[in-house]
Amino acid sequence: MAKPKTFFIRNARAVDAVNHLKPIELSIQGQTIAHVGPPGSLHPTPDADILDAQNQLVLPGFIDCHVHLRDSGASDSIQRAKEDFSTGTKAAIAGGVTTVLDMPNTNPPTATPEAFQTKLVHARRTAYCDFGLFAGATNDNANTVHQLVHDGAVAVKMYMGASTGSLLVDAPGKEEPFFKSAADHGFVLALHAESQDCLKRHEALFNETKKPRHSQVRPPQCAEHAVEAAMQFIRKYENQTYICHASTAQEVELVRHAKTQGLPVFMEACTHHLFLTADEELYHENRVKMNPPLRSKHDVDALWKALNDGTIDTVATDHAPHTLQEKNQNYWEAPAGVPGLETLMPLMLSAALQGKTTLETVQKTCCENPAKIFGLNQKGQLKPGLDADLVFVDLDTEKPVDESTLFTRCGWSPYTGKRLRGWPTQVLLRGQTVYANGFLHGPLGRSVK
Ligand code: DOR
Ligand code: ZN
Ligand code: ZN
């Protein structure tokens, strides 16, 4: 077989330790990175393909380990009005995200071998970026869910409190077997950690209120109780546990303490919890309704501190598209969730440029750590032998988030108008250009497992 063609990238800059950028050159052979080194380390032949990166930053493609692309692979027009694998993964690529991990709360939920296969086959046909699929925990599948991991699920997601969709593990004693199974079968158990009992009690207090504050209907203690309950099981089984969307200072404290004891617990923060506070509810109402809700400035500050000291392992979006029409219903009818795939990279890079965090931390939490936690061995770093998923980023141009250019089918953003730097200009997926200056090429996405 002919050797795959090599092409060369010159005049790029990569994140060095902390916040420095160092000039680099790369070469790509076929789908993988062949070489990364200082300027002058490559020796292309005169007729070689060379891409001049014009001093832009090059990053490993971001891995968003928490997205809801809504698409089960079965036809469901309500869900498809919001997003599908095609539009959601186009949004990912345009945002510099080359791998997404899709959540199981679709219709039907990804909780049986049949549902899993249907989604996998459909995603393989239509995805623009690489993807992994979560399997869903139910009150009935603790003994069988590991088979979905065997079939290729990246991890199992358990809803300890109800959110969008029907997935929920709330029957007495039903949670523990998932922690045991995760330990026995070696899979990562991802948690939507809000306690259902606590949510029900608080929701009942607002029954008569037409327009309650979502942050009060689902208060911090519901998230904290769930993380506390989970910790008991993690101590007992020492299974790898991934706590989705940390939103409160107290959850962070619990995880910081567990990590000092060497427990295998990982924590995710989502962009809306890092960049917005509950005050937004006063102006944007249901648009910023999501589960868990936005929190106080005190909580937001604790998240940034935890991000910078390594307590938070990953930054994800919880990209959860719903239409504005649905959001414009009354509080009780409006669904929870905000889109985020196209704003993750510029939000995080702008934060690094402003000194709220470092470029190194952004690269760790958006590329390296997600790959390590979910076992994506070909992803997450600029290293020879790994997939050539590369994003070129213009760090200089500042521009506002513009809804008219979004690829997500829901067509809106909670950050509209916000001026950001760090927009991707070109994206390579396994060596092929899939995005350049507003244009997409694909679908070329593959399953990571
Ligand atoms: O806000 C949310 N939206 N939180 C979730 O847990 C689910 C998600 C969705 O699927 O809409
Ligand atoms: Zn969740
Ligand atoms: Zn989610």
Side-chain angles (χ1 to χ4, degrees):
M1 217 167 68
K3 223 170 140 186
K5 208 169 153 51
T6 303
F7 85 88
F8 300 86
I9 298 164
R10 280 194 158 147
N11 296 325
R13 291 185 297 163
V15 174
D16 202 358
V18 192
N19 235 355
H20 297 113
L21 295 182
K22 59 179 177 193
I24 60 157
E25 290 183 348
L26 302 107
S27 73
I28 294 173
Q29 201 169 47
Q31 308 206 3
T32 53
I33 299 170
H35 170 93
V36 183
S41 58
L42 281 175
H43 305 286
T45 52
D47 63 340
D49 281 342
I50 301 179
L51 191 153
D52 182 348
Q54 298 178 332
N55 231 8
Q56 291 185 102
L57 170 65
V58 61
L59 289 167
F62 274 22
I63 300 167
D64 188 343
C65 29
H66 189 153
V67 304
H68 300 266
L69 299 188
R70 301 276 173 245
D71 190 349
S72 66
S75 62
D76 178 336
S77 55
I78 297 174
Q79 299 303 314
R80 293 261 171 89
K82 309 181 192 207
E83 198 81 291
D84 61 25
F85 252 97
S86 169
T87 56
T89 53
K90 282 180 184 173
I93 289 290
V97 174
T98 51
T99 306
V100 293
L101 305 186
D102 179 59
M103 286 296 167
N105 61 335
T106 41
N107 179 24
T110 322
T112 62
E114 299 70 40
F116 184 81
Q117 283 309 325
T118 305
K119 193 187 257 191
L120 184 60
V121 167
H122 176 68
R124 282 193 166 127
R125 275 201 213 113
T126 54
Y128 278 69
C129 69
D130 285 355
F131 62 88
L133 304 180
F134 278 89
T138 69
N139 280 330
D140 308 310
N141 73 357
N143 294 327
T144 53
V145 78
H146 66 273
Q147 285 166 8
L148 299 183
V149 176
H150 183 259
D151 292 347
V154 280
V156 174
K157 170 85 180 274
M158 176 160 71
Y159 285 84
M160 300 170 79
S163 190
T164 305
S166 58
L167 284 176
L168 177 64
V169 175
D170 65 339
K174 289 288 185 183
E175 287 166 351
E176 181 164 357
F178 286 98
F179 291 87
K180 182 170 187 313
S181 178
D184 291 347
H185 298 280
F187 61 77
V188 175
L189 182 63
L191 300 178
H192 181 112
E194 285 185 287
S195 142
Q196 181 64 3
D197 282 349
C198 179
L199 292 176
K200 273 203 199 136
R201 261 187 286 121
H202 283 89
E203 249 177 54
L205 300 176
F206 293 91
N207 260 347
E208 305 293 314
T209 315
K210 259 176 101 175
K211 243 187 179 186
R213 291 279 298 267
H214 191 55
S215 53
Q216 292 171 0
V217 175
R218 296 173 80 114
Q221 56 267 41
C222 294
E224 291 150 16
H225 288 170
V227 172
E228 265 166 14
M231 281 307 170
Q232 311 285 331
F233 300 128
I234 301 168
R235 287 218 161 79
K236 184 161 167 191
Y237 296 107
E238 298 196 359
N239 64 297
Q240 294 186 69
T241 307
Y242 180 83
I243 297 177
C244 296
H245 41 54
S247 61
T248 68
Q250 185 60 24
E251 285 169 277
V252 162
E253 265 331 297
L254 290 166
V255 169
R256 187 177 278 125
H257 180 64
K259 284 189 173 198
T260 62
Q261 297 179 321
L263 293 174
V265 45
F266 308 105
M267 190 165 231
E268 166 193 281
C270 294
T271 34
H272 42 266
H273 293 125
L274 287 167
F275 289 92
L276 306 171
T277 68
D279 290 348
E280 300 277 334
E281 290 171 345
L282 298 173
Y283 311 103
H284 299 298
E285 303 189 345
N286 298 334
R287 277 199 183 210
V288 292
K289 177 182 179 184
M290 80 285 288
N291 301 329
L294 296 175
R295 308 292 194 194
S296 68
K297 174 151 189 324
H298 168 74
D299 291 309
V300 173
D301 290 345
L303 293 185
W304 281 102
K305 185 169 175 291
L307 180 76
N308 288 320
D309 73 15
T311 305
I312 285 173
D313 298 281
T314 65
V315 176
T317 64
D318 201 353
H319 178 82
H322 296 285
T323 63
L324 280 181
Q325 203 183 356
E326 291 171 304
K327 287 290 199 181
N328 287 336
Q329 300 170 101
N330 73 60
Y331 168 80
W332 294 102
E333 299 296 326
V338 289
L341 272 164
E342 285 155 279
T343 40
L344 169 66
M345 184 173 282
L347 281 171
M348 292 310 293
L349 292 178
S350 294
L353 295 171
Q354 287 163 7
K356 285 190 81 150
T357 184
T358 65
L359 292 170
E360 191 189 27
T361 298
V362 174
Q363 189 168 293
K364 266 219 166 87
T365 54
C366 297
C367 310
E368 234 179 284
N369 290 348
K372 278 191 193 148
I373 293 167
F374 293 99
L376 316 177
N377 302 328
Q378 282 302 109
K379 306 287 189 195
Q381 292 181 65
L382 298 180
K383 246 171 69 178
L386 299 201
D387 285 350
D389 298 342
L390 306 180
V391 183
F392 296 92
V393 184
D394 170 7
L395 285 180
D396 302 321
T397 310
E398 188 183 275
K399 58 175 189 181
V401 176
D402 174 0
E403 290 184 351
S404 72
T405 63
L406 296 176
F407 286 92
T408 177
R409 184 170 285 150
C410 75
W412 64 279
S413 163
Y415 310 102
T416 295
K418 195 175 168 76
R419 298 189 69 83
L420 298 171
R421 284 196 282 165
W423 298 90
T425 60
Q426 185 169 352
V427 179
L428 270 59
L429 179 69
R430 284 175 282 99
Q432 290 211 51
T433 295
V434 287
Y435 176 81
N437 301 314
F439 291 97
L440 284 157
H441 173 64
L444 298 177
R446 280 196 194 159
S447 168
V448 291
K449 294 265 160 153

mmCIF file of all heavy atoms in Angstrom, residues 66 157 159 192 244-245 291-292 318, ligand 2:
data_model
loop_
_atom_site.group_PDB
_atom_site.id
_atom_site.type_symbol
_atom_site.label_atom_id
_atom_site.label_comp_id
_atom_site.label_asym_id
_atom_site.label_seq_id
_atom_site.Cartn_x
_atom_site.Cartn_y
_atom_site.Cartn_z
ATOM 1 N N HIS A 66 -19.608 16.588 27.136
ATOM 2 C CA HIS A 66 -20.991 16.651 27.627
ATOM 3 C C HIS A 66 -21.864 17.440 26.653
ATOM 4 O O HIS A 66 -22.000 18.655 26.763
ATOM 5 C CB HIS A 66 -21.004 17.307 29.014
ATOM 6 C CG HIS A 66 -22.320 17.231 29.703
ATOM 7 N ND1 HIS A 66 -22.428 17.247 31.082
ATOM 8 C CD2 HIS A 66 -23.588 17.129 29.241
ATOM 9 C CE1 HIS A 66 -23.710 17.160 31.413
ATOM 10 N NE2 HIS A 66 -24.426 17.104 30.304
ATOM 11 N N LYS A 157 -24.121 7.172 32.064
ATOM 12 C CA LYS A 157 -24.602 8.393 32.724
ATOM 13 C C LYS A 157 -25.798 8.043 33.595
ATOM 14 O O LYS A 157 -26.746 7.391 33.150
ATOM 15 C CB LYS A 157 -25.029 9.407 31.656
ATOM 16 C CG LYS A 157 -25.781 10.647 32.165
ATOM 17 C CD LYS A 157 -24.826 11.724 32.621
ATOM 18 C CE LYS A 157 -25.541 12.973 33.138
ATOM 19 N NZ LYS A 157 -25.898 13.926 32.112
ATOM 20 N N TYR A 159 -28.747 9.744 35.981
ATOM 21 C CA TYR A 159 -29.474 10.924 36.468
ATOM 22 C C TYR A 159 -29.976 10.629 37.871
ATOM 23 O O TYR A 159 -30.877 9.805 38.041
ATOM 24 C CB TYR A 159 -30.642 11.265 35.538
ATOM 25 C CG TYR A 159 -30.190 11.918 34.251
ATOM 26 C CD1 TYR A 159 -29.769 11.158 33.176
ATOM 27 C CD2 TYR A 159 -30.153 13.313 34.130
ATOM 28 C CE1 TYR A 159 -29.321 11.760 32.000
ATOM 29 C CE2 TYR A 159 -29.709 13.921 32.971
ATOM 30 C CZ TYR A 159 -29.294 13.142 31.910
ATOM 31 O OH TYR A 159 -28.853 13.739 30.762
ATOM 32 N N HIS A 192 -25.395 12.982 36.833
ATOM 33 C CA HIS A 192 -26.145 14.233 36.986
ATOM 34 C C HIS A 192 -26.504 14.265 38.459
ATOM 35 O O HIS A 192 -27.450 13.600 38.888
ATOM 36 C CB HIS A 192 -27.386 14.270 36.102
ATOM 37 C CG HIS A 192 -28.136 15.560 36.258
ATOM 38 N ND1 HIS A 192 -28.235 16.496 35.264
ATOM 39 C CD2 HIS A 192 -28.796 16.096 37.323
ATOM 40 C CE1 HIS A 192 -28.927 17.541 35.701
ATOM 41 N NE2 HIS A 192 -29.281 17.317 36.950
ATOM 42 N N CYS A 244 -20.707 15.482 36.643
ATOM 43 C CA CYS A 244 -21.008 16.460 35.591
ATOM 44 C C CYS A 244 -21.354 17.811 36.203
ATOM 45 O O CYS A 244 -21.791 17.901 37.347
ATOM 46 C CB CYS A 244 -22.208 15.992 34.758
ATOM 47 S SG CYS A 244 -21.905 14.472 33.858
ATOM 48 N N HIS A 245 -21.177 18.829 35.433
ATOM 49 C CA HIS A 245 -21.597 20.204 35.735
ATOM 50 C C HIS A 245 -21.611 20.589 37.210
ATOM 51 O O HIS A 245 -22.649 20.869 37.785
ATOM 52 C CB HIS A 245 -22.948 20.537 35.091
ATOM 53 C CG HIS A 245 -23.991 19.448 35.138
ATOM 54 N ND1 HIS A 245 -24.372 18.829 36.294
ATOM 55 C CD2 HIS A 245 -24.733 18.898 34.158
ATOM 56 C CE1 HIS A 245 -25.301 17.936 36.021
ATOM 57 N NE2 HIS A 245 -25.533 17.950 34.727
ATOM 58 N N ASN A 291 -30.358 22.853 34.048
ATOM 59 C CA ASN A 291 -30.176 22.004 35.227
ATOM 60 C C ASN A 291 -28.761 21.461 35.276
ATOM 61 O O ASN A 291 -28.362 20.812 34.319
ATOM 62 C CB ASN A 291 -31.149 20.823 35.202
ATOM 63 C CG ASN A 291 -32.591 21.282 35.159
ATOM 64 O OD1 ASN A 291 -32.927 22.335 35.681
ATOM 65 N ND2 ASN A 291 -33.442 20.488 34.524
ATOM 66 N N PRO A 292 -28.037 21.659 36.391
ATOM 67 C CA PRO A 292 -28.384 22.512 37.518
ATOM 68 C C PRO A 292 -28.396 23.990 37.116
ATOM 69 O O PRO A 292 -27.788 24.361 36.126
ATOM 70 C CB PRO A 292 -27.262 22.220 38.525
ATOM 71 C CG PRO A 292 -26.161 21.584 37.761
ATOM 72 C CD PRO A 292 -26.757 20.965 36.558
ATOM 73 N N ASP A 318 -22.299 21.121 28.141
ATOM 74 C CA ASP A 318 -23.683 20.686 28.388
ATOM 75 C C ASP A 318 -24.593 21.284 27.304
ATOM 76 O O ASP A 318 -25.719 21.704 27.575
ATOM 77 C CB ASP A 318 -24.160 21.083 29.787
ATOM 78 C CG ASP A 318 -25.336 20.232 30.268
ATOM 79 O OD1 ASP A 318 -25.861 19.435 29.470
ATOM 80 O OD2 ASP A 318 -25.731 20.389 31.438
HETATM 81 ZN ZN ZN B 2 -26.900 16.744 33.697
#
